[in-house]
Amino acid sequence: MSAPEAGRESAPSSLSSLSTLILTALPEETAALLDRMRDSARVRVPDGRRTWRGQLSGRPVLLVETGVGPENATAGMLRAARLAGPLRWIGAGLAGALAPEFSAGQLLVAGAVSDDRRTVTPGPDPAWAARAVACAGGVQPARFLTVGRIASTVAEKAALRGGTPPRFDVCDMESAAWAKAAAANGRAAPYLLVRVVSDTAGEELPELVAGSIAPDGSLDRGRIARRVLAHPGSIGKLLALRRRARSCAAALAEFLDRFAAAGF
């Protein structure tokens, strides 16, 4: 158990006074942000969803890990909306590149987000997105596509990118679902989507990973562990993927901390 998880707990009261809601999907993304947060406290919520309140560079935040995939993302956003009211929010996490020019570790801010190739409206706040891009060198705007399962092959990524402009730059499994759930719940609040590339358009995920996709499109970590035990020679590739995921999540958390210090 990490230090933040072992810390004090609080009831879900006065959360509407917090300035910014941050949503993640993966434990690695959450852990990297918790390492940056100060005065963090676990918030007890009825559905047990992993939720914390604390400060990021002096800015009060509510951090909610919704879980992976559109279904979990929708349920997590709706729960966060009931807890915290119309907070402005940031969706943050890892993404797979569809555009060949993006390398692993590239930070991207969404100018638009789509689901099944339909642009979600309202989209990310353009002024907020511009501030995020200007906050640190190398951050680039991009078009996000939310999909229902992990894109594990080069061919899948090429198909998702599309053949005619405007093409999609990266794919993830939550961004559009968060945005659509927020809009459906009447949350007239500005939002921002920030992702870091964890695998490039020209990379294929190892068969160990590609063959361990759960029915909801996410990774079945238990299945991966069982397959590693059956094929111990694959552990090197798995550990390399884990190190990269943690490194990318740390870079994303560092950026959000810097953006918070600049006032979000």
Side-chain angles (χ1 to χ4, degrees), residues 80-107:
R82 288 192 290 271
L83 279 175
L87 291 179
R88 65 178 185 168
W89 60 274
I90 298 173
L94 308 183
L98 304 178
E101 64 266 27
F102 293 138
S103 58
Q106 175 66 56
L107 285 160

Side-chain angles (χ1 to χ4, degrees), residues 121-146:
T121 56
D125 183 83
W128 203 8
R131 291 204 306 275
V133 170
C135 178
V139 181
Q140 295 190 39
R143 289 177 56 84
F144 289 14
L145 175 66
T146 295

Side-chain angles (χ1 to χ4, degrees), residues 23-27 29-30 64-69 92-93 174 178 195:
L23 299 169
T24 59
L26 293 168
E29 298 159 356
T30 305
V64 177
E65 183 185 300
T66 65
V68 176
E174 298 83 29
W178 286 331
R195 294 273 174 177

Side-chain angles (χ1 to χ4, degrees), residues 9-35:
E9 288 194 350
S10 67
S13 60
S14 303
L15 295 181
S16 60
S17 65
L18 294 168
S19 66
T20 305
L21 166 66
I22 300 178
L23 299 169
T24 59
L26 293 168
E28 291 84 357
E29 298 159 356
T30 305
L33 276 165
L34 284 172
D35 283 345

Side-chain angles (χ1 to χ4, degrees), residues 64-78:
V64 177
E65 183 185 300
T66 65
V68 176
E71 253 185 60
N72 286 324
T74 297
M77 169 56 89
L78 292 176

